[in-house]
Amino acid sequence: MKYGSIVVLTGAGISAESGLRTFRAADGLWEDHRVEDVATPEAFERDPVLVHRFYNARRRQLLGGVEPNPAHRALARLERDYPGEVLVVTQNIDDLHERAGSRRLIHMHGELLFVRCTRTGRRYPVEGDCSVSQRCECCEAEGRLRPDIVWFGEMPLQMDTIYEALEACELFVAIGTSGHVYPAAGFVEVAAGAGARTLELNLEASRLGSVFEEGRYGPASEQVPLLVEQLLGG
Ligand code: NAD
Ligand code: APR
């Protein structure tokens, strides 16, 4: 069998069993704030202290003992053992794919463990809280660091690379995403239009469920290892 390339899109659902709440299951409420109210450039302009506090709480949770689950590990195994190319595109801002061993990985919404200078765009790893009084090395000034995360209304990262991979892949798999947020929600149509097989793994059919050729429903920690076993000819 010719081993074509595989593109995997992951959403909050793949990290749910690692203990990180998803967005819409928590009906979008985080510490009494709607994600849309704290994950926008306007929110940061209006109240940077609140936005830093919102992301500091999520960073502390991530660094406080959250581990990759069997779904993350199965995707790392697929990249390692599958003869064709495997690219993981995640909407998640956690580092669980990296910690599970995935290397060909794109964070289209940015990364919680990085901040960036709003003047120079320079990124810095952050292992704890970030605040408005913190100085960036590039400017030696306070108040210029923001979470290195793509907010509502901002453009996701590396879209050219993603569309190129979608147009060339033989299989597109979406795992643990509700299909509410574009442009990620449009990826299945790009892949299908280019002739790829399309498969959705979720607890239940997402709002795009009917667009996929096939859906497999159940916890990602069970469904993803089963799929990888099958793809590796096990
Ligand atoms: P948006 O509402 O600005 O829409 C993004 C694009 O998708 C637009 O071109 C819009 O026309 C299109 N679109 C929206 N709904 C559509 C639909 N039902 N059918 C077809 N096209 C549709 O995007 P957003 O949801 O506000 O998010 C803006 C960006 O912010 C997105 O790129 C998203 O990836 C990112 N984001 C990041 C976070 C985060 O926490 N990191 C949170 C939310 C969104
Ligand atoms: N296994 C598989 N799927 C799961 C699991 C699980 N254990 N738990 C939840 N899910 C599914 C839910 O059924 C839902 O379809 O994961 C999906 C989570 O959807 P959302 O909370 O909307 O998260 P996501 O799709 O990643 O949101 C997209 O919106 O708020 C923005 O930037 C944020 O990246 C996020 C984007």
Side-chain angles (χ1 to χ4, degrees), residues 6-43:
I6 301 176
V7 174
V8 182
L9 171 69
T10 65
I14 199 169
S15 299
E17 290 163 90
S18 296
L20 293 177
R21 272 185 312 167
T22 65
F23 292 89
R24 279 140 198 103
D27 59 56
L29 272 187
W30 282 78
E31 287 88 44
D32 306 330
H33 304 291
R34 289 197 54 70
V35 175
E36 287 73 6
D37 296 341
V38 284
T40 65
E42 297 74 19

Side-chain angles (χ1 to χ4, degrees), residues 20-215:
L20 293 177
R21 272 185 312 167
T22 65
F23 292 89
R24 279 140 198 103
D27 59 56
L29 272 187
W30 282 78
E31 287 88 44
D32 306 330
H33 304 291
R34 289 197 54 70
V35 175
E36 287 73 6
D37 296 341
V38 284
T40 65
E42 297 74 19
F44 189 66
E45 197 61 39
R46 185 174 57 243
D47 190 346
V49 173
L50 169 68
V51 173
H52 273 305
R53 194 165 64 228
F54 172 68
Y55 285 101
N56 288 343
R58 294 175 68 189
R59 197 174 299 115
R60 252 181 262 126
Q61 186 197 18
L62 179 59
L63 294 169
V66 166
E67 292 296 330
N69 66 56
H72 298 103
R73 286 197 291 274
L75 290 182
R77 180 184 167 220
L78 181 68
E79 177 187 331
R80 197 183 52 240
D81 299 346
Y82 184 71
E85 293 220 324
V86 177
L87 173 67
V88 175
V89 179
T90 187
Q91 299 172 90
N92 298 337
I93 56 179
D94 63 55
D95 65 338
L96 298 179
H97 282 302
E98 291 88 331
R99 281 201 262 150
S102 286
R103 292 287 166 271
R104 292 199 70 239
L105 171 66
I106 293 178
H107 277 277
M108 63 180 285
H109 284 173
E111 298 175 69
L112 186 56
L113 299 184
F114 285 82
V115 290
R116 79 164 185 272
C117 172
T118 49
R119 192 180 69 83
T120 64
R122 212 166 124 197
R123 299 176 81 219
Y124 298 92
V126 55
E127 294 276 312
D129 287 0
C130 184
S131 74
V132 289
S133 56
Q134 217 151 330
R135 290 166 173 272
C136 50
E137 284 164 27
C138 45
C139 314
E140 276 300 307
E142 293 185 359
R144 296 210 171 135
L145 289 172
R146 64 164 270 180
D148 193 21
I149 286 172
V150 176
W151 284 327
F152 280 93
E154 293 179 326
M155 271 315 284
L157 307 169
Q158 300 188 53
M159 291 308 292
D160 293 350
T161 309
I162 296 171
Y163 283 119
E164 220 172 279
L166 289 169
E167 265 139 29
C169 73
E170 308 255 307
L171 175 63
F172 174 72
V173 188
I175 303 172
T177 181
S178 62
H180 274 95
V181 171
Y182 283 79
F187 289 175
V188 55
E189 279 154 348
V190 176
R197 277 175 44 218
T198 57
L199 170 61
E200 166 177 74
L201 268 55
N202 200 305
L203 284 182
E204 76 234 341
S206 74
R207 62 189 289 275
L208 299 169
S210 58
V211 180
F212 287 85
E213 250 172 82
E214 186 191 352

